[in-house]
């Protein structure tokens, strides 16, 4: 198979070599034209340049030795220096799921220019240098990386297709070990492949809110939103990428407050997810409200599919007025307009 410069196949081959094993879903972040991306991916697989790992609910891929050689040959022709070593790939399903999610999160933040991003594998190696046993705290965690903004640290978790059962001890140990003396704990980011995965978390969180704490005491719980862990929820989409990019800006908190102040009505209930968190909406949905009291919801444009899915499942009443802002406007230095 001939791989041409600037072709979709060349873009996909470079991506697989640079970032390592990735879930198939990650290709949508690389090439927006799905048919073009799918055709290029199938050609690379038939040529033996990519190998696919499949299991129920999982599909990932990594560059083969032949694919790596083609990548090196192409770069040499362009007078560029390829990376020295082909990134590891695995056929073990559990390891493939974990590795591909770590790499997808790295790719997501790398495309946004987050130079401060560290993967959990890099952090694990640092921890092992200080204490051989310290990295055991990450063994059962869904933690995939962290970003810094000044002295604030945000931990990144990747939940794949949606809600997952967590090991509470593993998560607690990871949080303790990942706190640095000179940093301030900040928002936790929860990534899922699709908006549906986020709605799964929101629906499960509503169910948990309807139960007494003593009724949940002896249950193994999936992840749910709480006041103590009011995480930022992001689907792995280009639109959500703009949010992650904007989050890193110094004036981000002021911009969110400015937009919320402009959208807040004089009377009634005001709900906003402009900061990426959904606790206010969860609290509203978990209680009965007077139908005569007005409700106003303000969101970003990339969150619209989440509302659509909430409506489809009957979790969000129809007819709630909603203002949506274009997150890309803010990243491009433009005052965000209404959708």
């Amino acid at each position: 198979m001939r791989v041409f410069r600037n072709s979709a196949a060349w873009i996909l081959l470079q991506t697989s070599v640079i970032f390592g094993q990735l879930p198939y879903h990650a290709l949508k972040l690389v090439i927006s034209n799905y048919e073009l991306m799918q055709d290029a991916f199938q050609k690379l697989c038939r040529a033996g340049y990519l190998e696919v790992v499949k299991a129920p609910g999982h599909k990932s891929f990594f560059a083969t030795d032949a694919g790596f050689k083609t990548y090196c040959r192409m770069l040499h022709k362009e007078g560029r220096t390829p990376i020295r070593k082909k990134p590891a790939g695995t056929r073990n399903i559990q390891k493939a799921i974990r590795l591909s999610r770590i790499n997808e999160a790295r790719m997501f933040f790398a495309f946004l220019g987050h130079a401060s991003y560290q993967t959990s594998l890099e952090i694990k190696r640092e921890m092992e240098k200080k204490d051989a046993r310290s990295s055991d705290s990450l063994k059962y965690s869904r933690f995939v990386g962290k970003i810094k903004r000044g002295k604030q640290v945000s931990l990144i978790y990747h939940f794949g297709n949606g809600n997952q059962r967590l090991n509470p001890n593993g998560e607690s140990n990871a949080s303790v070990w990942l706190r640095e003396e000179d940093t301030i704990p900040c928002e936790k980011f929860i990534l899922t492949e699709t908006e549906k995965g986020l709605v799964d978390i929101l629906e499960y969180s509503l169910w948990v809110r309807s139960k007494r704490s003593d009724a949940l005491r002896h249950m193994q719980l999936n992840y749910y939103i709480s006041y103590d862990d009011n995480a930022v929820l992001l689907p792995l989409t280009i639109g959500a990428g703009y949010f992650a990019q904007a989050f890193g800006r110094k004036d981000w908190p002021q911009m969110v407050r400015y937009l919320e102040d402009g959208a807040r009505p004089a009377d009634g209930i005001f709900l906003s997810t402009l900061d990426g968190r959904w606790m206010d909406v969860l609290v509203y949905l978990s209680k009965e409200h007077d139908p005569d009291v007005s409700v106003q919801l303000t969101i970003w444009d990339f969150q619209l599919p989440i509302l659509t899915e909430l409506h489809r499942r009957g979790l969000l009443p129809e007819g709630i007025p909603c203002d949506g802002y274009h997150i890309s406007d803010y990243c491009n230095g433009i005052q965000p307009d209404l959708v």
Side-chain angles (χ1 to χ4, degrees):
M1 173 187 174
R2 293 187 62 185
V3 179
F4 297 95
R5 290 181 57 186
N6 302 323
S7 66
W10 176 227
I11 293 172
L12 294 186
L13 183 60
Q14 288 183 91
T15 301
S16 65
V17 171
I18 293 170
F19 293 104
Q21 189 160 353
L22 290 167
Y24 185 74
H25 168 269
L27 296 178
K28 296 179 182 179
L29 298 173
V30 183
I31 299 176
S32 57
N33 186 319
Y34 183 77
E35 292 183 358
L36 179 64
M37 176 273 292
Q38 188 179 45
D39 181 62
F41 180 80
Q42 290 174 350
K43 287 180 179 178
L44 289 171
C45 290
R46 285 196 295 268
Y49 295 163
L50 295 179
E51 182 169 338
V52 178
V53 178
K54 283 185 178 182
H58 174 78
K59 181 179 180 181
S60 63
F61 64 93
F62 59 87
T64 62
D65 290 341
F68 185 67
K69 288 179 181 178
T70 300
Y71 160 82
C72 293
R73 186 170 62 251
M74 291 284 291
L75 286 191
H76 283 309
K77 286 182 179 180
E78 298 176 1
R80 297 158 56 193
T81 303
I83 61 175
R84 296 182 179 180
K85 186 179 179 181
K86 182 177 79 69
T90 178
R91 298 175 184 85
N92 179 285
I93 296 302
Q94 294 304 316
K95 291 182 179 179
I97 292 172
R98 175 77 175 144
L99 180 60
S100 63
R101 289 178 183 174
I102 291 172
N103 291 336
E104 183 178 31
R106 175 189 165 218
M107 185 183 79
F108 180 72
F109 286 97
F111 281 176
L112 305 172
H114 270 288
S116 67
Y117 186 77
Q118 271 190 303
T119 71
S120 58
L121 294 177
E122 293 170 337
I123 295 168
K124 187 174 185 291
R125 285 192 288 268
E126 288 183 3
M127 294 168 69
E128 287 172 341
K129 291 179 182 178
K130 298 176 183 177
D131 182 352
R133 297 283 301 176
S134 67
S135 64
D136 286 351
S137 62
L138 301 183
K139 188 176 294 183
Y140 301 106
S141 174
R142 302 299 179 186
F143 167 74
V144 293
K146 68 177 183 179
I147 55 174
K148 293 180 69 174
R149 181 178 61 188
K151 287 192 173 183
Q152 291 183 321
V153 172
S154 294
L155 305 184
I156 315 299
Y157 290 74
H158 192 333
F159 280 26
N161 291 328
N163 213 354
Q164 288 191 19
R165 184 157 292 166
L166 300 180
N167 181 294
N169 291 332
E171 300 305 328
S172 299
N173 292 339
S175 296
V176 171
W177 274 106
L178 292 167
R179 286 199 184 100
E180 302 174 12
E181 293 182 0
D182 62 338
T183 60
I184 303 170
C186 193
E187 288 87 348
K188 180 186 289 184
F189 280 72
I190 302 296
L191 306 179
T192 64
E193 289 187 359
T194 64
E195 293 87 353
K196 180 181 176 296
L198 295 184
V199 179
D200 288 342
I201 293 174
L202 293 173
E203 185 172 18
Y204 185 77
S205 300
L206 275 174
W207 178 82
V208 170
R209 285 186 63 83
S210 68
K211 305 295 181 181
R212 300 193 315 273
S213 58
D214 58 339
L216 301 171
R217 189 175 301 161
H218 303 293
M219 295 179 62
Q220 279 190 304
L221 298 177
N222 291 339
Y223 175 77
Y224 61 92
I225 306 297
S226 66
Y227 281 111
D228 294 333
D229 188 17
N230 189 9
V232 174
L233 303 182
L234 290 182
L236 283 163
T237 62
I238 294 174
Y242 282 117
F243 177 95
Q245 188 176 20
F247 178 84
R249 292 176 52 163
K250 292 182 179 179
D251 62 343
W252 169 250
Q254 291 78 14
M255 174 56 71
V256 169
R257 284 197 295 270
Y258 172 77
L259 293 177
E260 287 180 340
D261 289 343
R264 183 177 283 105
D267 300 308
I269 299 172
F270 177 67
L271 306 174
S272 170
T273 60
L274 295 184
D275 62 357
R277 290 173 287 204
W278 288 78
M279 177 54 72
D280 289 346
V281 176
L282 283 176
V283 171
Y284 170 78
L285 295 178
S286 64
K287 298 178 180 179
E288 292 187 8
H289 294 278
D290 185 344
D292 295 329
V293 177
S294 63
V295 182
Q296 177 67 39
L297 177 61
T298 300
I299 64 172
W300 292 111
D301 51 354
F302 75 89
Q303 296 171 328
L304 283 171
I306 300 175
L307 291 189
T308 301
E309 183 64 17
L310 286 171
H311 283 305
R312 192 190 68 79
R313 299 189 190 187
L315 301 175
L316 188 67
E318 296 284 352
I320 295 179
C322 177
D323 286 336
Y325 290 99
H326 292 286
I327 185 65
S328 59
D329 288 346
Y330 175 62
C331 293
N332 294 326
I334 305 171
Q335 175 65 38
D337 289 329
L338 290 173
V339 176

